[in-house]
């Protein structure tokens, strides 16, 4: 795959001449600086997200577990930036055959882990609306097993990349030897594999998420038509905000990764070679690479808004639960103490989720 960590050629080609070299140096310096800034902001934001999530994991909800998965995937993805930037400037690959296999595999692993996690989040929200009782009965171990399943499936799709890519060498125009990461499979096998990856990372999740959100939109429209309470005021409920934020994260993912995949598939399916100069190809390679990395830089800000809305949703449901059970405070102490214990830990989440889903239904 092209000039990123999944590139076939890890260094830009040169046409010769000092002017061309200076021009490429400017391009490399610009994108190298940009990626360095993305790395600093992205790592800081995702580390902050993990710290916040670890303090909130006591809720044991699927939302928090999913956010942790997304932040871990972003951190692993951003960890490849130093190797990419150094390759940009050194115009050679110094990390050996193992480095080729690991770094290129990390790209695909984290990409699939992110979109699969987002698909799980959308599915969980859909089931929470259509089958609320089944949703709240799921245990913490079930949610963790689902998270591990996402990473395992992502790893299975990544294994062929570990096998097919290896470090190769070729003679450079200046008489030296240039090292690069290149596939060892036949062109047809590589074409099929890249097409499958496009389907698993973009097309299939896109169709599933699109279908789920169409169904959710219909459900909420029907609930607003049939509910007198929902017709008061024009503000969206925190639950609606959660769904909108999840969809926003999905849209940002597609916006950042779709140009990259188009750039990968274009030379595979375009019968005639693209008439682009070496500098233009280099700029496009760097641009699509920077765009994919920027996704991991933007995500922490979206995670913060998402978890804020989700905490607001849980807080409001918790408050509603206490108003609903306030009449029991006049009962004997034993019943009151039972009500207090039932509102904690897993009972807190169960009652909160059940009440809001009952309202939506």
């Amino acid at each position: 795959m092209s000039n990123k960590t999944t590139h076939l050629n890890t260094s830009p080609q040169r046409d010769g001449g000092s002017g061309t070299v200076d021009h490429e140096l400017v391009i490399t310096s610009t994108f190298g600086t940009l990626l360095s800034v993305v790395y600093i902001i992205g790592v800081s934001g995702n580390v902050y997200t993990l710290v916040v999530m670890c303090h909130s994991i006591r809720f044991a909800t699927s939302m928090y577990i999913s956010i942790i998965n997304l932040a871990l995937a972003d951190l692993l993805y951003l960890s490849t930036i130093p190797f990419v930037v150094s390759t940009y400037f050194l115009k050679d690959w110094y990390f050996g055959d193992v480095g080729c296999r690991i770094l290129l595999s990390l790209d695909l692993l984290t990409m699939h882990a992110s979109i699969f996690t987002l698909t799980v989040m959308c599915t969980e929200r859909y089931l929470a609306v259509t089958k609320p009782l089944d949703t709240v009965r799921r245990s913490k171990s079930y949610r963790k097993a689902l998270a591990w399943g996402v990473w395992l499936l992502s790893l299975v799709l990544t294994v062929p990349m570990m096998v097919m890519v290896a470090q190769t060498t070729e003679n450079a125009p200046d008489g030296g030897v240039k090292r690069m990461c290149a596939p060892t499979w036949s062109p047809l096998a590589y074409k099929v594999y890249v097409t499958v990856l496009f389907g698993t990372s973009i097309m299939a999740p896109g169709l599933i998420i699109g279908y789920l959100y169409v169904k959710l939109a219909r459900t909420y429209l029907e609930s607003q038509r049939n509910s007198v309470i929902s017709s008061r005021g024009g503000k969206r409920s925190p639950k609606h905000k959660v769904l909108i934020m999840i969809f926003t994260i999905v849209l940002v993912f597609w916006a950042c990764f779709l140009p990259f995949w188009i750039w990968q598939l274009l030379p595979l399916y375009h019968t005639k070679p693209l008439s682009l100069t070496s500098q233009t190809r280099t700029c496009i390679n760097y641009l699509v690479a920077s765009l994919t990395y920027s996704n991991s830089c933007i995500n922490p800000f979206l995670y913060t808004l998402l978890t804020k809305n989700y905490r607001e949703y849980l807080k409001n449901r918790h408050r509603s639960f206490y108003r609903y059970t306030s009449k029991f405070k006049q009962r004997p102490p034993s019943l009151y103490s039972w009500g207090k214990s039932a509102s904690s830990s897993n009972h807190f989440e169960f009652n909160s989720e059940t009440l809001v889903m009952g309202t939506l239904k």
Side-chain angles (χ1 to χ4, degrees):
M1 300 169 117
S2 189
N3 205 333
K4 191 178 163 277
T5 38
T6 50
H7 15 274
L8 297 179
N9 189 341
T10 58
S11 61
Q13 297 176 358
R14 288 183 276 186
D15 296 328
S18 59
T20 303
V21 174
D22 292 340
H23 184 66
E24 289 186 350
L25 181 61
V26 171
I27 296 174
T28 302
S29 300
T30 301
F31 282 99
T33 304
L34 176 62
L35 286 179
S36 299
V37 173
V38 168
Y39 176 77
I40 295 172
I41 297 176
V43 169
S44 302
N46 283 286
V47 168
Y48 170 77
T49 300
L50 284 177
V51 171
V52 172
M53 289 300 98
C54 287
H55 285 290
S56 304
I57 196 61
R58 63 182 181 275
F59 296 123
T61 61
S62 59
M63 176 70 70
Y64 289 99
I65 294 176
S66 296
I67 294 296
I68 290 175
N69 264 345
L70 290 171
L72 285 174
D74 285 337
L75 278 176
L76 283 174
Y77 191 51
L78 291 168
S79 68
T80 63
I81 286 183
F83 301 95
V84 175
V85 172
S86 61
T87 302
Y88 283 172
F89 283 101
L90 297 174
K91 303 194 184 306
D92 201 355
W93 182 258
Y94 288 93
F95 308 106
D97 184 73
V98 175
C100 278
R101 298 178 190 275
I102 293 178
L103 269 79
L104 274 67
S105 300
L106 271 181
D107 274 8
L108 296 179
L109 176 68
T110 55
M111 184 189 306
H112 282 91
S114 294
I115 192 60
F116 288 165
T117 300
L118 290 172
T119 305
V120 168
M121 290 172 70
C122 295
T123 305
E124 286 284 337
R125 292 302 93 198
Y126 174 75
L127 293 177
V129 173
T130 57
K131 299 179 181 180
L133 294 180
D134 292 342
T135 300
V136 297
R137 287 189 188 125
R138 290 173 187 146
S139 63
K140 184 177 180 180
S141 58
Y142 166 83
R143 290 162 179 159
K144 288 185 176 180
L146 189 61
W148 280 108
V150 165
W151 284 98
L152 181 60
L153 179 58
S154 302
L155 181 61
V156 169
L157 292 169
T158 305
V159 168
M161 176 61 74
M162 296 181 185
V163 176
M164 89 150 103
V165 174
Q167 177 180 290
T168 61
T169 59
E170 69 175 22
N171 295 326
D174 57 1
V177 176
K178 184 173 65 175
R179 290 161 291 193
M180 66 183 70
C181 296
T184 56
W185 289 5
S186 66
L188 179 59
Y190 176 74
K191 179 179 180 179
V192 171
Y193 179 56
V194 172
T195 304
V196 170
L197 292 178
F198 175 73
T200 54
S201 65
I202 298 293
M203 291 299 297
L207 292 174
I208 294 173
I209 292 171
Y211 171 78
L212 293 176
Y213 267 89
V214 168
K215 297 284 287 184
L216 283 171
R218 290 178 180 176
T219 301
Y220 282 119
L221 287 175
E222 291 176 1
S223 67
Q224 287 180 349
R225 290 195 196 101
N226 300 328
S227 175
V228 178
I229 298 177
S230 62
S231 63
R232 299 175 186 173
K235 293 184 178 180
R236 295 186 180 94
S237 68
K239 186 65 178 177
H240 288 74
K241 293 179 182 178
V242 170
L243 291 168
I244 291 173
M245 286 307 305
I246 294 175
F247 193 60
T248 301
I249 296 175
V250 175
L251 288 180
V252 170
F253 179 90
W254 286 334
C256 291
F257 280 93
L258 192 57
F260 167 76
W261 280 110
I262 293 175
W263 182 239
Q264 305 307 317
L265 293 171
L266 194 60
L268 296 179
Y269 286 92
H270 195 268
T271 55
K272 297 180 180 179
L274 300 174
S275 57
L276 299 175
T277 63
S278 176
Q279 290 77 19
T280 302
R281 290 179 181 274
T282 300
C283 286
I284 296 177
N285 284 335
Y286 289 169
L287 183 60
V288 295
S290 300
L291 197 57
T292 57
Y293 282 116
S294 67
N295 179 72
S296 299
C297 182
I298 298 170
N299 279 344
F301 299 98
L302 299 178
Y303 300 156
T304 302
L305 294 175
L306 175 62
T307 52
K308 179 182 178 182
N309 289 328
Y310 194 63
R311 284 196 300 269
E312 180 186 352
Y313 151 67
L314 289 178
K315 183 179 179 181
N316 288 345
R317 294 303 96 199
H318 189 80
R319 190 182 295 117
S320 299
F321 170 72
Y322 267 113
R323 285 199 298 265
Y324 180 76
T325 57
S326 59
K327 60 182 179 181
F328 292 108
K329 293 184 179 181
Q330 306 301 326
R331 301 286 180 88
S334 59
L335 290 177
Y336 175 61
S337 61
W338 175 87
K340 287 179 65 179
S341 62
S343 64
S344 61
S345 188
N346 290 333
H347 293 290
F348 162 77
E349 182 189 352
F350 177 87
N351 290 315
S352 299
E353 294 279 354
T354 305
L355 280 175
V356 71
M357 296 312 163
T359 302
L360 290 173
K361 294 292 285 184

